[in-house]
Amino acid sequence: MSDTKTLYTAHVHVTGGREGAARSSDGRLALALAVPGSPGTGTNPEQLFAAGWSACFEGALGIAARSKGVTLPADLAIDAEVDLRHGEDGYSLAARLNVSVPGLKPEIARQLIEAAHRTCPYSKAIKGNIDAIVRLV
């Protein structure tokens, strides 16, 4: 038996793939989807992943900071980049998080970033599966 407890389950219904729409069961998410670089409105899975990973990572940074008695600056920011690649083995992703922690000593910021990268569920999910870099900027 596992001692894992499910805290939340997201339910999202997608129709039309990359040129369709996504809607969550609670109605809080409703958006058009679009192929990256195409004209018009709509987001794409790469942008959604970038937003999800960076938001989750900031939460993990907060947990790491609290455990060390560190106060994160209000202007902390994370810029996420997610690449859609194509090569001999087909499509793949690569991703980077550029973490800005103004006013915090770089060595402390790096420790917090490393701890967050070990505990963030998105970071865990991609570990060893895609090229991923998290860096202090």
Side-chain angles (χ1 to χ4, degrees):
M1 288 200 105
S2 173
D3 63 349
T4 301
K5 176 182 171 187
T6 299
L7 301 176
Y8 174 76
T9 301
H11 297 272
V12 176
H13 181 75
V14 173
T15 56
R18 285 183 173 270
E19 296 174 342
R23 178 174 302 280
S24 63
S25 60
D26 62 5
R28 297 177 98 181
L29 174 75
L31 49 86
L33 299 170
V35 174
S38 64
T41 60
T43 190
N44 59 65
E46 292 73 29
Q47 290 171 327
L48 293 170
F49 184 82
W53 186 25
S54 55
C56 184
F57 196 88
E58 187 166 334
L61 268 175
I63 292 168
R66 281 190 298 280
S67 75
K68 294 189 177 291
V70 174
T71 300
L72 292 174
D75 54 350
L76 178 145
I78 300 173
D79 291 309
E81 302 169 351
V82 175
D83 303 323
L84 176 61
R85 296 175 164 183
H86 188 265
E88 290 180 15
D89 61 344
Y91 291 97
S92 64
L93 297 175
R96 292 162 305 285
L97 290 184
N98 300 301
V99 183
S100 173
V101 193
L104 208 58
K105 291 182 181 179
E107 60 272 11
I108 300 297
R110 282 188 192 89
Q111 289 174 10
L112 297 177
I113 288 168
E114 289 169 9
H117 196 40
R118 285 191 305 272
T119 60
C120 170
Y122 277 74
S123 292
K124 288 179 177 183
I126 63 174
K127 184 179 181 180
N129 294 313
I130 70 171
D131 292 334
I133 297 170
V134 178
R135 61 184 160 223
L136 175 65
V137 294

